[in-house]
Amino acid sequence: NKNLAAEVEKGLFREDLYYRLNVIGINIPPLKERKEDIPELVNYFIKVHNAQLNKHIRGIDPSVMNMLIDYEWKGNVRELENAIERAIILCDSQTLTLDHFPHLSPEGYASQKQNADLKSSVRRFEENTILRALEAAGQDKSKAAKMLGLSLSSLYRKLAELGIKIKD
């Protein structure tokens, strides 16, 4: 995990070997810069670790997926994969929930995001509250709207505003 060009400059890596290896350079941005990849990676890691661990996890709670997308993955894809593997090991049901991600506990998550501005904090709170209501209502939007004290049209507007897509 070193910049080989810099290592060549310092005389710590053989220049001829560097040019043999550096046929095509590929720059992959860190995971925090390509958050749109996280849902696909999560689903892939669930599939891989289901097979390795002989588990039958079918999915992940939508609010947890949102937290995973919003999380700062300092260890990049390896850290995400380890988190999914650990969650699968801890899971005794078919759905990964917040209980399976101790590092995403509200306290840990909040401390990681303590520098977040009010607007993004309110947005996360709204997303999580709406997703929990939808889950409790069995994805019935009318019931969820009543639970939230919203009209159905307000709930639809809020879903669109937050970019939450729920199957009809």
Side-chain angles (χ1 to χ4, degrees):
N1 291 337
K2 294 184 179 184
N3 180 337
L4 292 182
E7 295 295 302
V8 168
E9 291 284 322
K10 295 178 195 172
L12 299 173
F13 193 83
R14 285 183 27 208
E15 187 173 14
D16 63 314
L17 182 56
Y18 171 75
Y19 288 112
R20 281 189 186 181
L21 295 172
N22 193 26
V23 175
I24 297 176
I26 300 173
N27 181 28
I28 300 174
L31 193 54
K32 67 182 178 184
E33 292 178 17
R34 51 191 178 97
K35 292 185 176 281
E36 67 278 359
D37 291 350
I38 291 174
E40 192 169 332
L41 287 167
V42 167
N43 291 327
Y44 172 75
F45 292 142
I46 289 172
K47 183 179 174 184
V48 166
H49 291 293
N50 266 343
Q52 288 177 348
L53 300 167
N54 197 25
K55 293 277 200 153
H56 304 286
I57 308 299
R58 292 188 182 208
I60 187 166
D61 181 273
S63 64
V64 176
M65 180 66 84
N66 283 339
M67 291 177 90
L68 293 175
I69 291 168
D70 201 34
Y71 191 77
E72 294 291 324
W73 294 103
K74 294 177 183 171
N76 284 307
V77 176
R78 284 190 186 122
E79 182 185 4
L80 175 62
E81 181 177 12
N82 289 342
I84 298 300
E85 183 178 12
R86 182 174 40 252
I88 289 172
I89 290 168
L90 295 173
C91 188
D92 57 357
S93 65
Q94 294 184 345
T95 304
L96 298 176
T97 64
L98 186 58
D99 295 336
H100 305 117
F101 294 88
H103 71 287
L104 287 181
S105 70
E107 300 81 30
Y109 185 70
S111 68
Q112 186 220 12
K113 290 295 185 185
Q114 74 188 74
N115 294 328
D117 62 9
L118 179 60
K119 189 174 183 178
S120 63
S121 296
V122 168
R123 181 184 175 91
R124 268 193 310 282
F125 175 78
E126 287 178 329
E127 285 175 3
N128 291 331
T129 302
I130 290 170
L131 289 169
R132 285 191 182 116
L134 283 163
E135 184 179 340
Q139 304 303 314
D140 183 321
K141 292 181 186 116
S142 294
K143 286 182 184 176
K146 285 180 185 172
M147 290 171 65
L148 294 165
L150 297 172
S151 68
L152 186 56
S153 62
S154 293
L155 177 60
Y156 274 106
R157 193 170 29 259
K158 194 51 94 167
L159 289 170
E161 177 187 315
L162 296 170
I164 298 172
K165 295 181 175 134
I166 305 294
K167 295 177 186 173
D168 286 321

